[in-house]
Amino acid sequence: MIMDGNGRWATAHGLSRSAGHEAGLRTAREIVEAAVREQVGTLTLYAFSSDNWKRPTAEVTALMRLFRRAMLGEAKRCLENGVRLTILGRRDRLPASLRQTVDQVESLTASCTRMHLRVAVDYSARDAILRAAAAVRGEVISREHFTELLARVDQDDIPAREVDLVVRTGGEQRLSDFLLWECAYAELLFVEKMWPEFDADDLAEAMADFRSRNRRYGLAPEQVAS
Ligand code: IPE
Ligand code: IPE
Ligand code: MG
């Protein structure tokens, strides 16, 4: 999920951008629970891109505080729902207090198996690709091996999974440096609604849309039908 549109939603309602992010957190909670009900295996929420560091300091600070509060608040709920929570992205640039909270929540929920919730924070697909490529050192390796290296540079699960469906709210039709390698054959869905307006029904609709698609991975249609 590319959770876009918090700021525009807030401005349209005469609120601060930070209030928009607060509203976005409420949506994230609802969508996580809905995804568990929809039997999603792995849900990745794009919460903060590496390029988002370039935003005004006040907004960045407010977001980092919000992430920490969200992690602390959601830990128990994740545990109850069988949700394993991890973050995806660089950890070394996060505030120490947030990093500590992330460590705690990750170990607390480590044995949960109903759904894996990954929150992408300080995430950049291109940076991850560059770091993984540096580890290859000119060797010729398989796609699968490279996917593993990519997961490793962001301390993600190994083996990493390909993305099935990307949903981006907020009306923009782009990936903004999200899981570029893993999205090679992902289905893309762009939704006009701003993230704070997105709800469980919208998720169900997105899932139904996904199920109706034909994925061919380069094959001819008749090869896939058989
Ligand atoms: C997405 O909402 C959340 C983050 C990037 C943190 P935005 O903050 O990008 O909202 P818009 O796109 O400005 O409306
Ligand atoms: C992408 O949204 C990142 C997140 C949703 C966290 P942005 O709002 O940062 O993306 P651009 O700038 O519109 O491409
Ligand atoms: Mg945006």
Side-chain angles (χ1 to χ4, degrees), residues 2-4 46-49 52 55 168 174 176:
I2 303 180
M3 311 186 288
D4 195 28
Y46 199 8
F48 191 86
S49 74
N52 288 150
R55 290 190 179 193
R168 180 174 185 141
R174 55 180 173 249
S176 302

Side-chain angles (χ1 to χ4, degrees), residues 23-156:
L25 171 60
R26 290 194 286 277
T27 299
R29 263 188 217 126
E30 178 180 346
I31 294 307
V32 168
E33 297 206 337
V36 171
R37 288 196 300 273
E38 295 275 345
Q39 300 187 308
V40 170
T42 303
L43 174 68
T44 309
L45 299 177
Y46 199 8
F48 191 86
S49 74
S50 295
D51 285 325
N52 288 150
W53 288 117
K54 298 172 199 155
R55 290 190 179 193
T57 315
E59 182 174 349
V60 171
T61 309
L63 278 166
M64 292 299 146
R65 283 212 193 101
L66 186 69
F67 294 148
R68 177 146 186 266
R69 190 149 54 74
M71 294 273 168
L72 285 169
E74 293 320 291
K76 196 163 154 264
R77 199 193 303 249
C78 282
L79 210 52
E80 285 164 3
N81 286 321
V83 174
R84 174 173 167 224
L85 175 59
T86 63
I87 65 161
L88 181 68
R90 277 184 67 160
R91 292 160 188 246
D92 56 304
R93 299 189 292 197
L94 300 178
S97 56
L98 174 58
R99 226 161 43 217
Q100 208 177 6
T101 305
V102 165
D103 288 345
Q104 285 167 357
V105 176
E106 285 184 338
S107 35
L108 191 70
T109 62
S111 55
C112 295
T113 54
R114 201 157 163 212
M115 185 174 84
H116 184 183
L117 172 62
R118 303 191 299 180
V119 182
V121 181
D122 194 2
Y123 178 79
S124 159
R126 287 184 300 183
D127 286 353
I129 290 168
L130 282 173
R131 279 177 285 137
V136 171
R137 294 177 212 276
E139 228 182 294
V140 178
I141 62 168
S142 66
R143 290 171 176 176
E144 291 72 25
H145 186 182
F146 190 75
T147 307
E148 281 177 24
L149 288 177
L150 259 185
R152 199 169 300 157
V153 296
D154 273 334
Q155 294 183 34
D156 193 26

